Amino acid sequence: GEVAGGYGGPAPVMPHDPKRTERPPPEPGRCHFFNAQKQRYCRFQVKDGFLFCAHHVTGPQERKRVPCPLDPRHHVYEDELEQHCKRRCPSRQARGVAERPWFKEVASSTSYMSEEEVLHILLASDVQEDRARTMLQAWTRTHGEVTSDGESRIKPSTGFRKELGRQLSSKYIRRLASRVEDVLRVAGIQVPLAVQQLMPWECKVLFDDARRDPLLPWNEKHALQQASIAGHLYQMELLHRTDAGGDCTTAVGGLEHKQADCCLEGPATKKAEPCVYVEMGAGRGYLAHMLCACGAQQVLLVEKRPYRFKAERSLRKNKALAIERLRVDIADLVVDKVPLLQGKDYVVTGKHLCGAGTDLALRGCLSECSSVRGSGEGKTQDTRCKGVAIATCCHHLCTWHEYVHKTFFLSKGFTHGEFEVICWMTGWAVAGEHKTVEDHHSAGDEAGMKEPTTPRMSCGQQIPHDERTRIGTTCKVILDYGRVLWLQSLDPQATVALRGYVSQDVSPENRLVLARFPLAAR
């Protein structure tokens, strides 16, 4: 007889295995085909009500797969071709983005460094002038251009920053790092930031093994970060609980973290206000998944790359949730024209929003902050930003052109060139151990050299690892501190904060930019 679970055809013929009766059953939701050579079941997922995946379904009624006419690089089932081309094909979605009202393509641009700026840094680092000018000529050929006016300029790419950093002396680096530390010391900012790792009680339920959804990817460190971000949203009154007695069935899975610094118990007394949570750089969207488990009812996911195993697979099972995903670059998104946000307040969130992505998200949502929130004379718009909670990372990818608060750096005496060096040094905060001058000398002594030779060392190798890590962390903090000050400058009555939201062993990128704006009455 036929086995129910294929696509109408008989079950695939499995190789004879004398130990078949002793095998444990396959994982829930996975294919029942047993590979005798690998001695395990197929790990592909199956649709609800089926036993075998599409690769292991056989028989006369096997479904035929054909190339997609919109993009032949992928194949679809022939009987689903019309529906695929009409709604599901990623290529069709990408073509249709340009026609959406919330899309406005922004031409890419950058802020070039003049030769004088680069020369000033090299001379300040005790590089001889003749050698500095020779390097400038080489960098102009590889990283720069000559304008129509005959002026040479250099694009401060990641590669150029690395080459420039190799020429800097440890004396110059320590002097620049000392200036950064002085700015933070005057502001009362402690480095590293004090960590407050939160665990809302809703999230503790989600961390229970018994409530785990086996089809959802699980990583305990990511879940701990998502839960802590939700906890800080609670503290900033940007996320409101629904009912303490309700049973939350949307599970992420995993083990309870026994070293959480703070557990937020009990329901909030305030009534939840209608609010949309916009996750920038959403990836698969599991930060939004955690927020929905904690009471969020409306979610907008913004991500330019396609992903498999997205959080919407399970979130859409809850018909009460409003979920929308926009496949668009953050720089090209016009937030005020997104239909889901019309007439609603929204909170901007993000987990590990890389480099300039944080600045693009802040500027895109808050550059017209006073009008967006409806405050000010004669400015009343329905779409208003209520707050921000963005965990930053990859500060070495920040750019002078996109950074939101260049005025802050200039007011503290830093130049454009020094900003580029600071961004380059942020990589030391998460870099591994490297050989130093002492290590090279030790290697020469062990080899029996009378006078061990030391090759030319970069400034990073001349500075001990612990000191490099401290300098890199300090540089990351000042970049995020500038962003917090920019948020404060938009509204003096806003509540802003820069916090460490998880411990270093969970993630070294543990800085969270927070802001809550007072909303004027509609």
Side-chain angles (χ1 to χ4, degrees), residues 447-484:
M449 298 181 184
K450 295 182 179 180
E451 295 182 1
T453 58
T454 302
R456 177 177 174 80
M457 309 291 290
S458 66
C459 62
Q461 293 173 310
Q462 296 172 23
I463 300 174
H465 176 262
D466 292 343
E467 184 179 358
R468 289 201 307 270
T469 302
R470 178 179 57 80
I471 292 175
T473 303
T474 303
C475 293
K476 282 179 175 286
V477 171
I478 195 172
L479 289 171
D480 288 336
Y481 177 58
R483 290 162 171 163
V484 169

XYZ file of all heavy atoms in Angstrom, residues 447-484:
293
model
N 66.056 30.759 19.134
C 66.745 30.247 17.949
C 68.260 30.336 18.078
O 68.986 29.929 17.183
C 66.287 31.018 16.707
N 68.759 30.895 19.175
C 70.192 30.972 19.396
C 70.871 32.150 18.747
O 72.085 32.149 18.558
N 70.121 33.189 18.392
C 70.708 34.377 17.773
C 71.406 35.222 18.828
O 70.867 35.442 19.909
C 69.615 35.219 17.086
C 68.903 34.503 15.949
S 67.671 35.584 15.203
C 66.934 34.455 14.019
N 72.596 35.692 18.514
C 73.297 36.572 19.444
C 72.633 37.934 19.494
O 72.517 38.534 20.559
C 74.762 36.712 19.007
C 75.538 35.405 19.092
C 76.975 35.632 18.683
C 77.788 34.325 18.783
N 79.198 34.525 18.375
N 72.228 38.448 18.334
C 71.543 39.733 18.264
C 70.260 39.530 17.462
O 70.265 39.634 16.237
C 72.417 40.799 17.594
C 73.663 41.135 18.391
C 74.463 42.225 17.720
O 74.020 42.707 16.650
O 75.502 42.622 18.263
N 69.180 39.159 18.131
C 67.935 38.880 17.408
C 67.474 40.090 16.611
O 67.458 41.211 17.118
C 66.940 38.541 18.520
C 67.512 39.141 19.759
C 69.002 39.099 19.593
N 67.110 39.856 15.366
C 66.654 40.943 14.500
C 65.152 41.076 14.619
O 64.417 40.086 14.624
C 67.013 40.649 13.037
O 66.411 39.401 12.663
C 68.522 40.573 12.857
N 64.679 42.314 14.712
C 63.254 42.581 14.826
C 62.767 43.251 13.550
O 63.257 44.325 13.192
C 62.969 43.508 16.028
O 63.458 42.879 17.207
C 61.472 43.768 16.155
N 61.852 42.622 12.818
C 61.322 43.261 11.618
C 60.513 44.492 11.981
O 60.150 44.696 13.129
C 60.436 42.164 11.006
C 60.047 41.306 12.169
C 61.223 41.347 13.104
N 60.224 45.300 10.950
C 59.433 46.497 11.199
C 58.056 46.096 11.722
O 57.342 45.310 11.110
C 59.280 47.318 9.909
C 58.388 48.545 10.100
C 58.306 49.372 8.847
N 57.358 50.456 8.996
C 57.618 51.600 9.613
N 58.810 51.800 10.138
N 56.712 52.548 9.700
N 57.675 46.635 12.876
C 56.420 46.274 13.522
C 55.392 47.381 13.301
O 55.731 48.564 13.317
C 56.636 46.076 15.028
C 57.781 45.141 15.381
S 57.413 43.451 14.943
C 56.148 43.093 16.139
N 54.147 46.992 13.090
C 53.078 47.978 13.026
C 52.792 48.482 14.439
O 53.206 47.879 15.431
C 51.815 47.357 12.415
O 51.299 46.366 13.269
N 52.052 49.589 14.523
C 51.769 50.152 15.844
C 50.957 49.180 16.685
O 51.095 49.132 17.910
C 51.038 51.483 15.696
S 49.436 51.338 14.870
N 50.087 48.367 16.012
C 49.315 47.402 16.761
C 50.178 46.342 17.411
O 49.869 45.851 18.495
N 51.289 45.974 16.761
C 52.191 44.980 17.323
C 53.126 45.576 18.363
O 53.688 44.849 19.165
C 52.987 44.316 16.202
C 52.124 43.472 15.268
C 52.914 42.979 14.076
O 53.591 43.745 13.389
N 52.843 41.683 13.815
N 53.305 46.876 18.339
C 54.158 47.528 19.324
C 53.437 47.744 20.656
O 54.079 48.004 21.665
C 54.624 48.883 18.778
C 55.496 48.787 17.534
C 55.756 50.145 16.923
O 55.673 51.163 17.612
N 56.055 50.197 15.639
N 52.116 47.626 20.655
C 51.318 47.866 21.857
C 50.843 46.523 22.398
O 50.358 45.682 21.637
C 50.116 48.773 21.524
C 50.616 50.118 20.967
C 49.250 49.006 22.743
C 49.515 51.029 20.487
N 50.935 46.286 23.703
C 50.470 45.018 24.282
C 48.997 44.757 23.992
O 48.198 45.684 23.804
C 50.718 45.199 25.787
C 51.784 46.241 25.869
C 51.568 47.155 24.708
N 48.646 43.488 23.989
C 47.294 43.089 23.602
C 46.230 43.702 24.503
O 45.192 44.198 24.027
C 47.183 41.564 23.623
C 45.800 41.051 23.333
N 44.918 40.682 24.324
C 45.142 40.877 22.171
C 43.776 40.301 23.777
N 43.885 40.393 22.483
N 46.429 43.675 25.811
C 45.430 44.221 26.733
C 45.210 45.710 26.499
O 44.076 46.206 26.564
C 45.855 43.976 28.180
C 45.813 42.503 28.544
O 45.160 41.730 27.810
O 46.439 42.119 29.554
N 46.301 46.429 26.214
C 46.170 47.861 25.957
C 45.454 48.107 24.633
O 44.629 49.028 24.522
C 47.547 48.523 25.945
C 47.494 50.036 25.790
C 48.873 50.677 25.795
O 49.869 49.937 25.967
O 48.947 51.901 25.589
N 45.757 47.288 23.618
C 45.057 47.427 22.336
C 43.551 47.207 22.520
O 42.724 47.943 21.966
C 45.596 46.422 21.316
C 46.972 46.722 20.814
C 47.225 46.023 19.482
N 46.947 44.591 19.540
C 47.827 43.653 19.867
N 49.057 44.021 20.197
N 47.503 42.386 19.874
N 43.198 46.185 23.290
C 41.775 45.903 23.516
C 41.092 47.074 24.211
O 39.970 47.458 23.854
C 41.625 44.632 24.354
O 42.270 43.539 23.685
C 40.160 44.293 24.577
N 41.772 47.665 25.207
C 41.184 48.802 25.911
C 41.023 49.997 24.978
O 39.990 50.682 25.002
C 42.064 49.176 27.103
C 41.567 50.377 27.890
C 42.477 50.665 29.067
N 43.857 50.884 28.660
C 44.317 52.034 28.152
N 43.490 53.058 27.995
N 45.588 52.154 27.828
N 42.017 50.252 24.139
C 41.924 51.378 23.200
C 40.787 51.156 22.213
O 39.995 52.064 21.919
C 43.267 51.562 22.461
C 44.346 52.053 23.432
C 43.111 52.539 21.296
C 45.735 52.141 22.813
N 40.687 49.929 21.678
C 39.616 49.644 20.728
C 38.241 49.800 21.345
O 37.322 50.359 20.725
N 38.068 49.336 22.578
C 36.781 49.480 23.263
C 36.453 50.946 23.501
O 35.305 51.378 23.332
C 36.807 48.717 24.595
O 37.130 47.342 24.353
C 35.469 48.814 25.301
N 37.453 51.732 23.896
C 37.240 53.164 24.123
C 36.790 53.856 22.845
O 35.889 54.707 22.871
C 38.529 53.808 24.652
O 38.947 53.133 25.846
C 38.308 55.274 24.957
N 37.390 53.494 21.720
C 37.017 54.107 20.446
C 35.593 53.726 20.048
O 34.850 54.544 19.487
C 38.004 53.696 19.357
S 39.666 54.365 19.585
N 35.179 52.498 20.318
C 33.804 52.106 20.037
C 32.826 52.921 20.877
O 31.777 53.372 20.383
C 33.621 50.606 20.326
C 34.147 49.664 19.259
C 33.936 48.225 19.661
C 34.345 47.267 18.545
N 33.371 47.264 17.429
N 33.166 53.112 22.137
C 32.260 53.828 23.041
C 32.085 55.277 22.603
O 30.965 55.803 22.639
C 32.780 53.739 24.490
C 31.970 54.654 25.409
C 32.698 52.305 25.001
N 33.155 55.934 22.170
C 33.013 57.346 21.810
C 32.172 57.501 20.552
O 31.426 58.479 20.407
C 34.390 58.030 21.650
C 34.208 59.553 21.657
C 35.102 57.567 20.390
C 35.499 60.328 21.706
N 32.245 56.541 19.626
C 31.391 56.609 18.441
C 29.924 56.471 18.831
O 29.062 57.204 18.324
C 31.786 55.513 17.449
C 33.126 55.704 16.738
C 33.505 54.454 15.954
C 33.073 56.908 15.793
N 29.621 55.540 19.728
C 28.232 55.382 20.175
C 27.789 56.543 21.061
O 26.618 56.942 21.032
C 28.082 54.063 20.937
C 28.140 52.855 20.011
O 27.846 53.020 18.822
O 28.497 51.757 20.488
N 28.716 57.093 21.834
C 28.381 58.256 22.669
C 27.999 59.444 21.789
O 27.058 60.196 22.115
C 29.561 58.606 23.568
C 29.358 59.835 24.420
C 28.296 59.929 25.311
C 30.231 60.925 24.325
C 28.104 61.055 26.085
C 30.048 62.054 25.101
C 28.986 62.117 25.982
O 28.791 63.240 26.746
N 28.685 59.632 20.679
C 28.315 60.693 19.750
C 26.909 60.497 19.198
O 26.155 61.465 19.014
N 26.542 59.241 18.933
C 25.182 58.972 18.453
C 24.136 59.305 19.520
O 23.062 59.845 19.202
C 25.073 57.497 18.048
C 25.859 57.161 16.785
C 26.102 55.669 16.652
N 26.653 55.332 15.345
C 27.254 54.180 15.062
N 27.390 53.258 16.021
N 27.724 53.950 13.848
N 24.443 58.968 20.769
C 23.509 59.279 21.857
C 23.335 60.791 21.992
O 22.217 61.290 22.183
C 24.013 58.647 23.173
C 23.225 59.173 24.354
C 23.907 57.124 23.112
